[in-house]
Amino acid sequence: MFSVLVTGASRGIGLEYVRQLLALSSPPQHVFACCRSPENAEDLQGIAMENPSVKVVQMDVTKEDDFPAAVREVDGVVGERGLTVLINNAAIFSGHTCETATCEDSVHLYRVNVIGPMLVTQAFLPALKRAAALTSSDDTTMSMQTAAVVNMSSVMGSLASTKNGKSASYRMTKVAVNMLTVCMAHDFASYGILAVAMHPGLVNTDMGKRHAGKLSPKESVCGILDTLLKLRGRQASGKAYQWNGQILAW
Ligand code: NDP
């Protein structure tokens, strides 16, 4: 059984993940589309109405009190088969530079973009471990079809690609997401769980609309899924990929 949980699925890339997962030739049996306000996520609710495999789950990644109910909902569906893929997609942006960033703004960004994925992954780790344990995954068989965590990163967190200090506080969170991914790859390898970071390209969403030469969410997520589904083995873990399959330099 192949199941996927996406955080921040109310709009943008997260919502497109839900659409494109359903469009795969072998779609997941279960897609858990998490959002902090299901009552306001009209597009997502529309998809869920037409696709019984989609379950909308309320979860704010900064609210640990939301996690137990979300885990219960997922466990109630997947049971002993576990959760195959967790996509830590939810994030916020801030344009502050290192001259203008405030403590409050920076801490909030870090809370959503870094601590959120870390604690959400902790909450779903037992379910991911159960999925990994179903296949005798070793260093060569680990893949998205066995068990994986995907952390949405950004070229803006790439030290090698940084040529200006714009949006310093956001960049800092994505550098931390990259390190979180490397730590997860080390710690989760023995369970047979892959961990990768993914840069979606510059995508035309509420967050990405300031960029020139944008990808549509569909182009981005089709490329991401194509890339993710080809990953095989321990050596694929602990790396940052781009939507088009290229490696993103740290
Ligand atoms: P959007 O701003 O369009 O969407 C962000 C999503 O995150 C929304 O669904 C939002 O929910 C959700 N979210 C925000 N805060 C929380 C929270 N506390 N708990 C749960 N959900 C939350 O962003 P994108 O779709 O463009 O970005 C998706 C990912 O891709 C992010 O990690 C981003 O950093 C990364 N990325 C995007 C790029 C781009 O060009 N768009 C480029 C590089 C990386 P709500 O509707 O409730 O606000």
Side-chain angles (χ1 to χ4, degrees), residues 7-14 34-37 59-62 88-92 112-113 152-155 170 174 198-209 211:
T7 66
S10 57
R11 55 193 166 93
I13 292 168
C34 297
C35 56
R36 50 184 172 173
S37 307
M59 186 171 68
D60 183 321
V61 302
T62 65
N88 285 311
N89 167 76
I92 54 171
V112 179
N113 294 5
M152 293 305 288
S153 183
S154 172
V155 69
Y170 173 78
K174 292 302 185 180
M198 174 59 70
H199 167 53
L202 301 181
V203 189
N204 190 3
T205 62
D206 293 336
M207 186 186 291
K209 60 190 168 200
H211 302 300

Side-chain angles (χ1 to χ4, degrees), residues 93-201:
F93 180 82
S94 159
H96 278 301
T97 66
C98 52
E99 290 181 70
T100 63
T102 62
C103 175
E104 192 183 359
D105 173 64
S106 304
V107 168
H108 183 52
L109 271 178
Y110 198 80
R111 183 86 185 83
V112 179
N113 294 5
V114 186
I115 311 286
M118 185 181 72
L119 295 183
V120 168
T121 306
Q122 282 178 17
F124 287 97
L125 191 55
L128 289 160
K129 285 183 182 176
R130 290 201 301 279
L134 283 184
T135 44
S136 57
S137 53
D138 56 28
D139 278 7
T140 57
T141 56
M142 284 163 70
S143 75
M144 287 294 133
Q145 287 81 1
T146 58
V149 179
V150 179
N151 295 321
M152 293 305 288
S153 183
S154 172
V155 69
M156 294 185 77
S158 165
L159 302 177
S161 307
T162 299
K163 295 185 177 55
N164 63 63
K166 285 180 188 161
S167 314
S169 41
Y170 173 78
R171 288 180 188 276
M172 287 153 59
T173 66
K174 292 302 185 180
V175 174
V177 165
N178 290 346
M179 179 54 84
L180 177 65
T181 306
V182 171
C183 293
M184 285 179 175
H186 283 293
D187 288 355
F188 300 171
S190 61
Y191 311 135
I193 301 172
L194 278 178
V196 296
M198 174 59 70
H199 167 53

Side-chain angles (χ1 to χ4, degrees), residues 51-81:
N51 295 277
S53 58
V54 177
K55 193 167 178 54
V56 179
V57 177
Q58 194 280 327
M59 186 171 68
D60 183 321
V61 302
T62 65
K63 301 218 166 97
E64 287 181 76
D65 288 352
D66 288 351
F67 299 175
V71 170
R72 270 197 305 277
E73 272 195 75
V74 171
D75 282 352
V77 175
V78 300
E80 286 311 306
R81 293 162 301 177

